[in-house]
Amino acid sequence: MKKIDKKTYLQWYQEMLFWRKFEDKLASAYIQQKVRGFLHLYNGQEAIVAGCMHVIDPKKDKMITAYRNHVHPIALGVDPRRIMAELFGKGTGTSHGLGGSMHIFSKEHNFFGGHGIVGGQIALGAGLAFAEKYNETGGVVLTFMGDGATRQGTLHETFNMAMNWKLPVIFICENNHYAMGTSVERTANHPDIWKLGLGYEMPCEPVDGMNPVSVAEKVYEAVERARRGEGPTFLDIRTYRYRGHSMSDAQHYRTKEEVEEYKKIDPITQVLDVIKEKKYATDAEIEAIDERVKNLVAECEKFANESPFPEKNVMYDVVYEQENYPFLPHKL
């Protein structure tokens, strides 16, 4: 695994802080009705993507996830201005403003969604991994899901096939303890989601999802196992979301005290504490990073605000591959 050093920590701090502030800006835009529909934010879970990015090869490895999907593509290199524009429904967005919050895609950057159907991406991730193995690319697919998605039947069918065919896929449960408003403890007779892999003799274990170092170490082991042709891994990465399931969530199922306890181990604060303890940056340098992040978020908002809405014909031009598709309005 690449060394985790001063450069790593400074990069983690800037990237995770940007992801946090980017999501905060989207929350503000949602209240202003610039973002419509559903909006699922990633606040508190940043260490997972930060740790993963430290050990994968973004040029050949792929990611696929559910609808809490704004941070993953930014980490892979997708222009955050285009992601914000997509949420604003603008034509400059990653899906021409037609996909919205839950459907961010970028084949160019190896990000394959962004899926609104709970658990729908699990089998698709295995399919992507099958293609990697078939084409002998050496690529690995990180398939993310929430704890609620692990109760879907498709997970078991997919686990079985992935182990049978030794697919290069890492199944990552971003376990933030609540499936919408239902706690993990209420969804099964035990709270240890990682044990779902045991029935398939799939390597599986729990991981501290509030620390990017812990995530990087365990994901690295899984990536290396997959590259050796030894098949999939299932990681129960335990994290916490500071905001509701979506912006419409009143969060009656948990207490403010619980949220505050988890904020004491905020992944961004943990990284910043190491930076200060090891004197990786001065106060002035940290303030400079904060300012860069603030300016970049403002640039994203400006781009999204000033971008035009898509023309109506775009939905036909980019949705239908077949040019003479018989059911287009102008053909009727």
Side-chain angles (χ1 to χ4, degrees), residues 59-80:
K59 292 182 179 179
K60 65 179 180 181
D61 297 330
K62 296 175 172 59
M63 287 186 184
I64 185 170
T65 188
Y67 39 75
R68 205 176 301 280
N69 69 326
H70 314 140
V71 168
H72 304 71
I74 294 175
L76 285 171
V78 179
D79 187 342

Side-chain angles (χ1 to χ4, degrees), residues 200-248:
Y200 305 92
E201 297 187 358
M202 182 187 297
C204 53
E205 61 183 311
V207 181
D208 176 8
M210 303 302 280
N211 189 326
V213 176
S214 301
V215 175
E217 290 172 347
K218 295 304 180 181
V219 174
Y220 174 75
E221 292 175 7
V223 167
E224 290 302 295
R225 188 180 297 121
R227 295 210 202 282
R228 291 194 300 266
E230 297 174 11
T233 301
F234 178 46
L235 299 177
D236 174 7
I237 303 186
R238 297 173 175 181
T239 182
Y240 198 81
R241 55 172 167 78
Y242 296 142
R243 291 185 178 270
H245 172 74
S246 68
M247 287 295 289
S248 58

Side-chain angles (χ1 to χ4, degrees), residues 283-296:
D283 290 343
E285 289 168 334
I286 292 170
E287 287 178 12
I289 292 174
D290 295 348
E291 190 65 22
R292 281 200 298 274
V293 165
K294 180 181 177 181
N295 291 338
L296 182 53

Side-chain angles (χ1 to χ4, degrees), residues 21 45 90 107 115-116 140 152 163 183 199 201 214 229 328:
K21 297 302 183 182
Q45 302 183 200
K90 299 300 184 71
K107 181 180 178 182
H115 294 268
V140 174
Q152 297 290 328
M163 283 301 291
S183 67
E201 297 187 358
S214 301
L328 297 182

Side-chain angles (χ1 to χ4, degrees), residues 15-263:
E15 290 181 345
M16 290 199 295
L17 183 64
F18 173 67
W19 301 337
R20 176 75 59 85
K21 297 302 183 182
F22 184 90
E23 296 286 70
D24 286 344
K25 179 57 67 176
L26 288 177
S28 174
Y30 188 90
I31 293 171
Q32 298 173 51
Q33 296 190 330
K34 292 180 180 179
V35 175
R36 304 296 183 95
F38 292 99
L39 181 63
H40 306 84
L41 302 175
Y42 205 66
N43 299 48
Q45 302 183 200
E46 296 89 353
I48 298 178
V49 173
C52 289
M53 287 303 302
H54 186 71
V55 299
I56 69 168
D57 181 350
K59 292 182 179 179
K60 65 179 180 181
D61 297 330
K62 296 175 172 59
M63 287 186 184
I64 185 170
T65 188
Y67 39 75
R68 205 176 301 280
N69 69 326
H70 314 140
V71 168
H72 304 71
I74 294 175
L76 285 171
V78 179
D79 187 342
R81 297 176 303 172
R82 294 192 63 210
I83 293 175
M84 189 167 286
E86 181 62 35
L87 273 80
F88 278 45
K90 299 300 184 71
T92 55
T94 50
S95 296
H96 303 275
L98 304 178
S101 172
M102 296 193 287
H103 305 101
I104 309 294
F105 289 88
S106 178
K107 181 180 178 182
E108 176 190 358
H109 292 90
N110 286 327
F111 184 68
F112 290 82
H115 294 268
I117 302 298
V118 175
Q121 77 282 6
I122 298 173
L124 297 178
L128 289 167
F130 180 87
E132 298 300 305
K133 182 170 184 176
Y134 184 84
N135 293 318
E136 299 180 346
T137 65
V140 174
V141 180
L142 275 61
T143 300
F144 298 87
M145 68 199 78
D147 46 275
T150 63
R151 308 311 182 190
Q152 297 290 328
T154 186
L155 175 133
H156 297 277
E157 297 178 45
T158 303
F159 275 18
N160 185 55
M161 288 192 294
M163 283 301 291
N164 251 351
W165 296 335
K166 296 295 182 286
L167 300 182
V169 56
I170 304 169
F171 298 106
I172 296 175
C173 176
E174 296 185 305
N175 181 359
N176 58 32
H177 305 291
Y178 294 98
M180 294 185 72
T182 305
S183 67
V184 170
E185 287 78 7
R186 293 179 60 198
T187 63
N189 69 335
H190 68 81
D192 295 318
I193 289 175
W194 64 272
K195 291 180 179 178
L196 290 172
L198 296 176
Y200 305 92
E201 297 187 358
M202 182 187 297
C204 53
E205 61 183 311
V207 181
D208 176 8
M210 303 302 280
N211 189 326
V213 176
S214 301
V215 175
E217 290 172 347
K218 295 304 180 181
V219 174
Y220 174 75
E221 292 175 7
V223 167
E224 290 302 295
R225 188 180 297 121
R227 295 210 202 282
R228 291 194 300 266
E230 297 174 11
T233 301
F234 178 46
L235 299 177
D236 174 7
I237 303 186
R238 297 173 175 181
T239 182
Y240 198 81
R241 55 172 167 78
Y242 296 142
R243 291 185 178 270
H245 172 74
S246 68
M247 287 295 289
S248 58
D249 179 8
Q251 306 181 60
H252 294 311
Y253 49 84
R254 64 182 183 181
T255 64
K256 292 181 179 179
E257 288 75 21
E258 178 183 298
V259 177
E260 290 306 312
E261 278 301 305
Y262 274 97
K263 285 185 177 181

